[in-house]
Amino acid sequence: MPSDFNQGRLAPAREKLLVVENLEVSYGAVQVLWGISFSVAQGEVTCIIGSNGAGKTSTLNAVTGVLPVRRGRIILGKEDITTLPARERVKRHISLVPEGRQLWPGMSVEDNLLMGCFLRSLRGRAKTNVARIYDLFPRLKERRNQLAGTLSGGEQQMCAIGRGLMSEPQLLLLDEPSLGLAPILVEEIFKMIREIAGQGMTILLVGENVNYTLQVSNYGYVMEVGRITLEGPASTLSNNEHVRKAYLGM
């Protein structure tokens, strides 16, 4: 294995917003994560790539508190949040844009966005935040009164990302943002992720489109069967022989 890869270690020294140490997670008697360790640097995009069923979504659910941790630690800034319930993590501005978007189809685009401001501390800034989302996604402004269930797949993903940003996250988790989208829309979504990252947002990205995911990321981890098997700068992972054969079809 190349020397510029480490297995199950943390990313190169830099201020970390999120540090996960030796994380183990189970669904009942079935263990899905086996002692994984990774970190997310402040102001950067860190990605986790791997095949379906590798444990990527379970990792995000553990970080958000949706899935309980069997062993290990999750550190946000300098605070150990391992045992905090999901609602307390939301208060610490961890925001998840889930796989499949999970919008309220019978509600308008704007009402879906406003659901991202449900914390009492955010309600006074809801109008300002909605305007900011419309600046980022002008198409959503055009469709603000349209039912979310009638949007195209790409527009629904914009709405889901916008809803995630409404909570003013310090850490934005994106789970398979290009899932099920046409190729031209995939390119558009990743262009928007790059723009959000360019504004200084810290992002943990899980992507099925490995090529685009690595292109927008600073650092990446490869997950296979619940374990971190490779890590390194995204540009280095893109040129790794195993990654190219297994995930890029080269």
Side-chain angles (χ1 to χ4, degrees), residues 10-223:
L10 302 181
R14 184 176 171 169
E15 184 178 353
K16 305 296 192 303
L17 177 60
L18 179 74
V19 176
V20 173
E21 299 176 343
N22 303 313
L23 190 68
E24 295 188 7
V25 168
S26 300
Y27 290 94
V30 180
Q31 188 163 344
V32 293
L33 297 178
W34 301 80
I36 67 168
S37 296
F38 66 91
S39 63
V40 179
Q42 182 82 42
E44 291 192 353
V45 181
T46 300
C47 68
I48 302 175
I49 61 173
S51 61
N52 289 336
K56 306 184 301 298
T57 294
S58 295
T59 300
L60 296 189
N61 286 338
V63 171
T64 58
V66 174
L67 197 58
V69 172
R70 182 176 177 182
R71 291 189 182 88
R73 295 200 307 163
I74 302 172
I75 312 297
L76 182 70
K78 296 182 179 180
E79 182 183 10
D80 189 333
I81 64 169
T82 309
T83 60
L84 290 182
R87 64 180 179 275
E88 292 299 324
R89 302 190 199 196
V90 172
K91 291 178 182 179
R92 285 155 177 79
H93 297 274
I94 297 176
S95 181
L96 171 66
V97 179
E99 179 181 351
R101 301 176 279 276
Q102 298 185 25
L103 300 175
W104 284 271
M107 293 169 56
S108 71
V109 167
E110 186 155 305
D111 284 343
N112 268 275
L113 293 175
L114 290 172
M115 290 300 293
C117 266
F118 70 92
L119 287 179
R120 187 180 301 275
S121 61
L122 294 172
R123 293 173 189 171
R125 298 192 294 278
K127 289 185 178 179
T128 301
N129 287 346
V130 165
R132 182 168 56 91
I133 299 306
Y134 288 153
D135 286 341
L136 183 63
F137 302 116
R139 203 177 306 172
L140 294 183
K141 185 175 183 180
E142 297 171 5
R143 290 160 172 72
R144 61 195 302 172
N145 296 316
Q146 186 172 329
L147 295 182
T150 66
L151 298 175
S152 70
E155 290 165 346
Q156 287 186 10
Q157 188 62 62
M158 293 176 199
C159 189
I161 293 173
R163 181 184 60 191
L165 292 171
M166 287 287 290
S167 63
E168 301 177 1
Q170 62 168 326
L171 176 62
L172 181 65
L173 311 180
L174 298 176
D175 192 0
E176 306 282 12
S178 66
L179 185 66
L181 300 183
I184 190 170
L185 294 176
V186 170
E187 186 172 349
E188 186 174 358
I189 290 298
F190 277 98
K191 180 181 178 182
M192 292 172 180
I193 293 172
R194 185 179 287 111
E195 183 176 345
I196 294 167
Q199 297 174 4
M201 178 66 64
T202 305
I203 298 174
L204 177 57
L205 170 63
V206 162
E208 70 160 12
N209 191 314
V210 173
N211 185 32
Y212 276 108
T213 297
L214 290 174
Q215 284 184 37
V216 301
S217 299
N218 301 97
Y219 200 86
Y221 296 84
V222 178
M223 179 173 284

